[in-house]
Amino acid sequence: MSEGSKGSSLAFGQVVIGPPGSGKTTYCHGMQEFMGRIGRKVTVVNLDPANEAMPYQCAVDIAELITLPDVMEDLKLGPNGGLIYCMEYLEANFDWLQEKLAAFRGHYYLFDCPGQVELYTHHHALKNVFTQLAKWNFRLAAVHLVDSHYCTDPGKFISVLCTSLSTMLHVELPHVNVLSKMDLIEQYGKLAFNLDYYTEVLDLSYLVDHLASDPFFRNYRRLNEKLVEVIEDYSLVSFVPLNVQDKESMRQVMQAVDKANGYSFGDQEQRSLEALMSAAVGADFHFTSTLAVQEKYVQSQDKAVEEEVMDL
């Protein structure tokens, strides 16, 4: 994996990013198990210096290089400043990372990244790490996890769309946005629109109208309209729904990532007709997966209504 060695084999993987509590570590654990069952050799790399309890088998751990508690204690920094320092320290020690990764040639890599949003929207240290990995012939896709409960609040969902767009433009990697914890969405409250409205990010003017029904947000309608215009002008943001407990949901997310980082066309697996067709289908699997989750959501809502009627 020497820098600039065009003859070396490609390495494929995912950088798993997103805000705190979005399920990044749980995703890495589930994807490691899922890919292991279909025969892929998976290596999980923990790049989160604050991650102490890891449920997955961690092959490379940044804690061997630096930890957030040590930085906070020694340099008297807060958690945000400490995380930025850790990422800059990692950037300054590429040789350590290269040596660790070289021991797992031929594996598929999952990079579990920190949960500080600033690292993906405007700070450059982690972005430079991804750029360096690309120079080592890594073909990566960014998997950006967002908690699905934001769909139940129009204001928060617009904020999530802005953050997702900013992350896509800053990180500059093939990008898959994922709505995580879909198995819990019915517990968050009733959605204003069908689920595919949120996953496909359809006409956002309806969302602005719905938001304007709130007296507080009515005064900020013009601002929300401008934010929505920016999101729609780029037309980049969409989401894949994910339930880590559901194998079919995991398969659909894996297919989306495989298309994004080029694994479907690589030499790591036999390029069967089924794989090629799957990579060429486009967004059909988005519709199928969304439809399945939407059906479960509607059934749960219908059941809740029936129970209310019975109580009456």
Side-chain angles (χ1 to χ4, degrees), residues 20 39 57 59 111 148 161 166 199 202 204 225 236 263-264 267 308:
Q57 296 179 358
F111 293 89
S148 61
L161 292 174
S166 177
T199 57
L202 302 176
L204 294 177
E225 287 176 344
L236 291 174
Y263 186 90
S264 297
D267 56 2
E308 290 179 3

Side-chain angles (χ1 to χ4, degrees), residues 288-304:
T288 305
S289 62
T290 303
L291 190 63
V293 175
Q294 175 71 18
E295 185 176 347
K296 293 180 182 178
Y297 174 77
V298 171
Q299 288 175 351
S300 66
Q301 292 296 315
D302 292 343
K303 184 177 180 181

Side-chain angles (χ1 to χ4, degrees), residues 10 12-14 27 31 35 40 108 139-143 173-177 200 238-240 250-266 269 271-289:
L10 296 178
F12 293 89
Q14 310 174 20
Y27 171 87
M31 191 58 74
M35 288 184 171
R40 290 194 196 179
Y108 187 97
R139 297 298 178 261
L140 302 173
V143 179
L173 284 176
H175 209 92
V176 177
N177 292 304
E200 301 302 325
S238 63
F239 296 93
V240 182
M250 291 291 285
R251 183 186 68 84
Q252 289 160 351
V253 171
M254 184 186 71
Q255 284 183 335
V257 178
D258 283 352
K259 289 194 294 182
N261 64 13
Y263 186 90
S264 297
F265 306 102
E269 290 180 347
R271 291 168 54 178
S272 64
L273 177 61
E274 180 180 356
L276 288 175
M277 291 301 294
S278 174
V281 161
D284 286 356
F285 73 92
H286 279 276
F287 175 77
T288 305
S289 62

Side-chain angles (χ1 to χ4, degrees), residues 75-127:
L75 302 180
K76 308 304 178 185
L77 293 173
N80 290 341
L83 272 175
I84 290 176
Y85 179 89
C86 289
M87 293 301 101
E88 291 176 345
Y89 191 82
L90 175 63
E91 182 187 2
N93 288 273
F94 280 142
D95 54 341
W96 174 86
L97 183 61
Q98 184 177 19
E99 181 181 351
K100 291 292 184 180
L101 296 177
F104 301 96
R105 295 178 184 274
H107 286 215
Y108 187 97
Y109 296 83
L110 297 174
F111 293 89
D112 188 2
C113 298
Q116 188 178 357
V117 175
E118 294 92 330
L119 293 172
Y120 314 117
T121 56
H122 58 272
H123 196 265
H124 286 81
L126 201 54
K127 174 185 175 180

Side-chain angles (χ1 to χ4, degrees), residues 140-158:
L140 302 173
V143 179
H144 184 222
L145 298 182
V146 175
D147 196 317
S148 61
H149 87 267
Y150 290 118
C151 295
T152 61
D153 187 316
K156 291 181 179 179
F157 188 65
I158 290 178

Side-chain angles (χ1 to χ4, degrees), residues 32 81 180:
Q32 180 187 45
S180 62

